[in-house]
Amino acid sequence: MLRNLLIMLIFFPSVLLAQNLNISGNVNSSEGVLPGVNVIEKGTSNGTTTDLDGNYSLNVKNDAILIYSSMGYKTQEIPVKGKSIINVILVEDAAQLDEIVVKGFTDVKGRARKRLESIQSVPESVIAVTSQQIDATGIDNIGSFLTQIPGVSYGESQDPGTVMISIRGIPQIRYGSSPIATVVDGVYLASADLNTQSLYEIDQIEVIKGAQGLFYGKNAIGGAVVITTKQPRNGFEGNVKAGYGNGNTFKLETNLSGSIVDNKAFYRLGVSYLNSDGLIENTTLNKKVDFRKDLALRGLLKFRLGSKSTLSLTGRYSDVKSGAITFISSNSNPGFEDFNPNSYEGNPDADFLGEGTLKSSIITASFETAFKGFKLESHTSYSDVDLFYDGDYLSFAPIDVYGPIPAAYQEMTRASRTFNEELRLISSNSASKLQWNLGLFYQNINSDWITNIYYNQDVTDFDYSNTSEFKINNDKNSLNSIGLFGFLEYDITEKFNISAGLRNEWETLENRDNIGDVKSKRSYNAFQPKLSMSYKILKDKMLYASYSRGFRSGGYNPVEVPASGIKKEIDPEFTNSFEIGAKTSFWDNRFILNLAYFNTVFENQQVYRFGTDGVRSFLGTVNFEESKASGFEIDTKLRVTKHFDILGGASFIETEITKAFEESAVGNKIPFAPQSSFYVGLFAHFKVGETSNISANVNIENKGKKYWFADDLYGIDQKDIFQDPYTLVNTKLIYDIKDFSIALWGKNIFNTKYNQEWWPFGVFDGDPQGGPIGDIRTPSQPITYGLELSYKF
């Protein structure tokens, strides 16, 4: 029945929208391609918009007249007269452009729902950052973007790939799946380790909150981050950027782009390199622990295959080397108080300088072709991700050996190889009352996870020349997933819109424990519906409501610790998310105010906790039967004058664990999720000459109270172990003259201290005053600042 319904949905719209002639082409300005241009058949509601490359395709009558319009440009009307290809160059409307600058913000279009549309018309919470804001605020990785989003937190710890992302009270699982899906140019990145990668040559970043299982499948349990890179165009262009900062940090970036054959074949090449000595010193070794080397390469070939089809081939390579196991211990740092999660003194003093590497290779092929009334998209990708780290070992039985005594060190390898294929059929008539989206998704992941400890046979030997090996785990995992999805949206009236969709995902997981020679296999399916409606009170004021269901894949723990409730198998986690909100603008779009209230119910929530069987110690994942999170969010923009903007937002979240096998967790807050946050961005920009400009930006980011653990496993009530709120201030000043710019920047300019992680392991020695086993913490990044030069050609 489902198959017949999907077949009907595929062919019914194409019959409805069939016309006499298919027109395709490209819309440009004097500056390059123009995305989001409205292309309408005059006298009808038949129309479309240009994509991010300025391309469009539309079925019209042979004698039709096409209207091309975009804010800031003069509208053009062009008769078809039997032509099948119409390329257009829109001319800037000087009077209109001046009016736009004075009046308000231009409309931002995004692809959160896998088609180009205004984010102000999407009946969900969507925040987009354009390339101009990316440059102004110094966004250079996913973390520096996410920290600017209310309701979202981001932190890094332990190795080059381990991150802790929380969105709307949904935390990341250590060594596990992120609560958000990350998509780059339509391609899903399966490995959570890739969320630390450098970003460069980015055209736009969007975050859509709430369960997004319908469009992005597994792990989009809290939302999705959609990244769109800059695309090549006719001619030749490039840029080079170099910077220097404290910690002896050097950064170089260059990009080249152009056409191989005008209007047919294009290329884009990019290189980014960073080398930093670091700022946090190990007092035993007198070396910095937060050093980092980061090399990233990206190449793109793009072909226009006739008037209706495009093919893009992309290759990405990344090689990161950085510090690892940078914990600070309380038993060798008197200023770091035991059982105090808000104590920030001390330095790392491990005898073994931890080091991690993260190498990744990604190749993708994206194909798109237009038919009458719809288009076909295919996204194929393969990724190979290898992470390795070593560092001083933190043991808890019988004694703590982390610190200045060379007793033991640890190694971990996490590797994954992922193949993705997604096929989508998408309606292309943006003026039609009916929009639809159908797709098929396949994914295969093979991964390895190996952890070893090496005990030093001579605790005075800092070279570890004679060690004995102890294997904690050696696991090989595989995941096969097939997803089928469909989505319909219909304008009942000009003001009232409804949409509905569903996705079903079938997954098979396999695990082989190579130490115990034990195999395990299981399968399950995840049904993910989505419903929404919106009503426009006025042209620029909309109310909306939505329901969506998402899931996070199950998996396997490396170690089973029954005493701590850690089983080998991890069950999949589901969320049911409800959201109501309003999207409004005032004063000719000078003031934008978006409000949202959400309520999320978790089923089998995944929570990680520490476990030990007296021999092996590990962080594992358990399932709690039910949890809840609800909250209120504000997102706003204000254009005070033509030269000064204020951006802001706030989030207030209430969470509770309502059912759990661990009784001490019931009634507690969901851990690792700030209870509140706010963001304020101040942007000033003005001309100082005919060819020169100055822009300045100050970002204020606040993260509220955060609870560290879900239960009272450590013998301490959750209410007593939280991190206090903290505020970070970042700034950037840019002076542009023609094609050259110079910038001064600073992050965490007041050197605010907080903990990325905190663990009260001192409770295990039974001495409340601090015995041989101390608490540990991962420190925050100190103040960083630097100079940046760039040149465009």
Side-chain angles (χ1 to χ4, degrees):
M1 180 178 177
L2 177 61
R3 182 187 62 184
N4 294 335
L5 175 61
L6 291 174
I7 292 174
M8 182 182 72
L9 290 174
I10 290 174
F11 291 104
F12 179 66
S14 63
V15 174
L16 274 180
L17 300 173
Q19 301 286 342
N20 298 324
L21 184 65
N22 179 264
I23 305 295
S24 61
N26 185 262
V27 181
N28 285 264
S29 71
S30 59
E31 298 295 323
V33 298
L34 283 177
V37 175
N38 294 311
V39 185
I40 305 294
E41 182 180 0
K42 189 172 183 179
T44 74
S45 60
N46 182 35
T48 188
T49 58
T50 58
D51 63 19
L52 292 175
D53 299 324
N55 299 319
Y56 73 94
S57 178
L58 185 66
N59 298 292
V60 299
K61 296 178 181 178
N62 286 313
D63 58 351
I65 297 175
L66 296 183
I67 302 174
Y68 299 82
S69 63
S70 181
M71 187 175 293
Y73 296 88
K74 293 181 179 179
T75 298
Q76 290 192 33
E77 295 188 8
I78 300 178
V80 172
K81 295 182 178 179
K83 296 189 290 289
S84 61
I85 299 177
I86 301 179
N87 296 319
V88 179
I89 298 178
L90 292 185
V91 179
E92 292 181 352
D93 188 333
Q96 189 182 5
L97 282 172
D98 183 66
E99 182 180 5
I100 292 171
V101 172
V102 173
K103 280 193 172 181
F105 297 95
T106 55
D107 188 28
V108 177
K109 297 183 182 295
R111 290 186 175 274
R113 297 198 296 179
K114 299 201 173 182
R115 72 168 189 271
L116 199 64
E117 59 185 331
S118 169
I119 65 172
Q120 283 297 104
S121 67
V122 177
E124 291 180 271
S125 178
V126 184
I127 298 176
V129 177
T130 63
S131 58
Q132 292 85 359
Q133 191 175 344
I134 290 171
D135 291 338
T137 58
I139 292 173
D140 55 9
N141 56 45
I142 291 177
S144 57
F145 162 66
L146 290 178
T147 56
Q148 299 180 20
I149 307 299
V152 182
S153 67
Y154 177 96
E156 298 182 11
S157 179
Q158 183 171 310
D159 58 55
T162 296
V163 298
M164 286 79 67
I165 297 174
S166 170
I167 179 168
R168 285 187 169 179
I170 306 173
Q172 176 138 356
I173 302 304
R174 191 183 186 88
Y175 309 134
S177 301
S178 169
I180 59 172
T182 302
V183 179
V184 180
D185 292 333
V187 176
Y188 176 80
L189 301 184
S191 173
D193 290 332
L194 294 175
N195 282 331
T196 63
Q197 66 181 319
S198 298
L199 296 179
Y200 60 102
E201 281 300 276
I202 302 301
D203 188 61
Q204 185 167 293
I205 310 176
E206 305 163 59
V207 58
I208 178 168
K209 300 178 185 177
Q212 300 301 322
L214 170 66
F215 291 114
Y216 300 102
K218 69 170 65 64
N219 304 331
I221 193 168
V225 172
V226 181
I227 300 171
T228 304
T229 62
K230 293 181 179 179
Q231 299 295 300
R233 56 189 182 185
N234 286 336
F236 172 77
E237 63 182 1
N239 66 73
V240 61
K241 184 185 298 183
Y244 184 79
N246 62 330
N248 195 29
T249 300
F250 175 76
K251 186 174 183 179
L252 178 66
E253 178 185 320
T254 185
N255 298 277
L256 302 175
S257 177
S259 56
I260 303 171
V261 179
D262 281 359
N263 299 316
K264 292 184 178 180
F266 309 85
Y267 69 91
R268 194 171 191 97
L269 302 172
V271 179
S272 174
Y273 175 74
L274 179 142
N275 190 345
S276 176
D277 290 345
L279 296 166
I280 302 172
E281 185 171 357
N282 180 307
T283 54
T284 297
L285 304 175
N286 296 317
K287 294 181 180 179
K288 301 295 191 298
V289 300
D290 57 331
F291 60 90
R292 186 179 183 93
K293 290 184 179 180
D294 189 335
L295 173 66
L297 308 173
R298 178 178 179 267
L300 167 67
L301 290 174
K302 190 166 190 174
F303 305 93
R304 289 180 184 163
L305 309 177
S307 62
K308 299 180 182 180
S309 305
T310 60
L311 172 66
S312 297
L313 304 174
T314 305
R316 299 182 181 91
Y317 174 77
S318 176
D319 187 350
V320 178
K321 180 179 180 180
S322 71
I325 312 297
T326 59
F327 301 124
I328 297 173
S329 174
S330 65
N331 62 4
S332 52
N333 284 277
F336 176 16
E337 303 173 15
D338 272 338
F339 312 121
N340 183 358
N342 296 296
S343 181
Y344 309 123
E345 299 305 314
N347 285 78
D349 60 356
D351 60 86
F352 192 106
L353 184 65
E355 182 177 290
T357 59
L358 175 60
K359 297 182 180 182
S360 65
S361 301
I362 305 173
I363 55 174
T364 66
S366 296
F367 175 75
E368 179 179 317
T369 187
F371 295 92
K372 291 183 179 181
F374 67 95
K375 60 183 179 180
L376 167 69
E377 291 184 3
S378 170
H379 297 281
T380 307
S381 68
Y382 176 80
S383 66
D384 189 335
V385 181
D386 290 285
L387 182 146
F388 171 85
Y389 78 79
D390 57 15
D392 203 353
Y393 180 57
L394 187 63
S395 176
F396 308 98
I399 61 170
D400 179 15
V401 296
Y402 179 83
I405 301 174
Y409 73 93
Q410 59 181 302
E411 288 183 351
M412 179 181 288
T413 298
R414 302 196 301 270
S416 65
R417 295 154 300 281
T418 303
F419 174 79
N420 291 332
E421 171 60 41
E422 184 172 71
L423 295 172
R424 294 199 295 259
L425 295 174
I426 306 171
S427 60
S428 57
N429 184 357
S430 64
S432 171
K433 290 185 175 182
L434 176 67
Q435 303 293 331
W436 52 274
N437 189 327
L438 301 172
L440 175 67
F441 177 79
Y442 171 75
Q443 183 177 79
N444 172 261
I445 302 175
N446 290 290
S447 61
D448 302 291
W449 189 352
I450 303 170
T451 310
N452 295 321
I453 306 168
Y454 297 88
Y455 289 103
N456 198 353
Q457 301 304 299
D458 179 0
V459 294
T460 65
D461 177 14
F462 283 83
D463 295 326
Y464 288 86
S465 55
N466 183 16
T467 61
S468 60
E469 181 184 27
F470 179 78
K471 297 181 181 295
I472 289 184
N473 78 292
N474 184 337
D475 284 42
K476 183 177 289 293
N477 298 301
S478 69
L479 180 149
N480 281 284
S481 177
I482 297 176
L484 188 65
F485 60 90
F487 175 73
L488 290 173
E489 182 180 16
Y490 187 74
D491 293 326
I492 295 178
T493 68
E494 291 185 356
K495 296 183 176 181
F496 186 43
N497 171 282
I498 61 171
S499 61
L502 59 89
R503 180 183 186 123
N504 200 67
E505 206 139 351
W506 294 268
E507 283 197 349
T508 298
L509 301 174
E510 294 185 61
N511 169 265
R512 180 186 177 94
D513 179 350
N514 290 317
I515 294 178
D517 194 24
V518 178
K519 296 181 181 179
S520 175
K521 182 177 180 179
R522 58 200 168 110
S523 300
Y524 54 82
N525 71 85
F527 183 72
Q528 301 165 88
K530 189 180 188 72
L531 301 169
S532 64
M533 62 181 67
S534 63
Y535 183 79
K536 290 185 177 180
I537 305 173
L538 297 171
K539 180 181 179 181
D540 53 5
K541 296 174 180 61
M542 181 184 81
L543 301 176
Y544 69 87
S546 68
Y547 160 76
S548 55
R549 182 171 170 85
F551 93 104
R552 179 156 38 191
S553 290
Y556 294 92
N557 281 306
V559 175
E560 184 175 5
V561 187
S564 300
I566 300 175
K567 303 175 182 178
K568 186 65 177 178
E569 293 185 352
I570 305 169
D571 292 332
E573 173 185 359
F574 294 87
T575 59
N576 293 288
S577 299
F578 303 85
E579 181 175 334
I580 57 173
K583 295 190 174 184
T584 66
S585 65
F586 306 87
W587 303 340
D588 293 326
N589 222 36
R590 285 182 62 181
F591 178 46
I592 296 174
L593 177 64
N594 297 335
L595 307 172
Y597 170 81
F598 64 90
N599 185 284
T600 303
V601 178
F602 301 76
E603 302 171 10
N604 286 330
Q605 184 183 20
Q606 296 175 6
V607 179
Y608 72 84
R609 67 190 320 206
F610 171 77
T612 179
D613 58 7
V615 178
R616 296 183 296 181
S617 305
F618 219 91
L619 292 170
T621 300
V622 298
N623 292 99
F624 287 168
E625 290 88 328
E626 183 184 86
S627 300
K628 297 178 180 179
S630 61
F632 179 72
E633 294 174 340
I634 305 170
D635 176 45
T636 185
K637 298 180 181 179
L638 174 63
R639 177 145 291 166
V640 181
T641 70
K642 65 167 62 178
H643 303 299
F644 184 55
D645 298 335
I646 301 176
L647 277 62
S651 174
F652 307 92
I653 303 174
E654 182 67 29
T655 66
E656 183 183 6
I657 299 169
T658 52
K659 293 181 182 179
F661 73 88
E662 179 63 57
E663 293 184 2
S664 66
V666 177
N668 282 351
K669 307 291 186 182
I670 295 175
F672 307 104
Q675 303 294 292
S676 64
S677 60
F678 70 78
Y679 163 79
V680 177
L682 308 176
F683 297 83
H685 45 89
F686 51 88
K687 280 192 171 185
V688 293
E690 286 296 321
T691 59
S692 58
N693 302 274
I694 288 180
S695 60
N697 160 246
V698 176
N699 282 344
I700 304 169
E701 305 167 5
N702 174 272
K703 302 303 177 185
K705 180 187 291 187
K706 177 171 66 176
Y707 293 91
W708 285 112
F709 309 108
D711 50 45
D712 301 339
L713 173 67
Y714 302 95
I716 307 174
D717 289 340
Q718 186 199 56
K719 62 182 179 62
D720 297 324
I721 48 173
F722 60 84
Q723 178 159 271
D724 289 335
Y726 63 90
T727 301
L728 305 179
V729 180
N730 310 315
T731 186
K732 191 173 184 179
L733 177 67
I734 306 173
Y735 175 66
D736 295 302
I737 179 167
K738 292 186 177 179
D739 296 323
F740 178 80
S741 71
I742 181 171
L744 297 172
W745 59 268
K747 296 183 178 180
N748 190 14
I749 62 174
F750 294 112
N751 204 27
T752 299
K753 295 182 179 181
Y754 58 97
N755 288 326
Q756 301 271 21
E757 279 193 302
W758 176 81
W759 296 89
F761 290 139
V763 301
F764 291 114
D765 59 30
D767 184 354
Q769 302 303 316
I773 302 178
D775 295 349
I776 63 167
R777 68 182 185 89
T778 302
S780 58
Q781 188 68 22
I783 176 176
T784 56
Y785 50 84
L787 172 72
E788 184 179 272
L789 305 175
S790 63
Y791 177 69
K792 297 179 181 179
F793 51 88

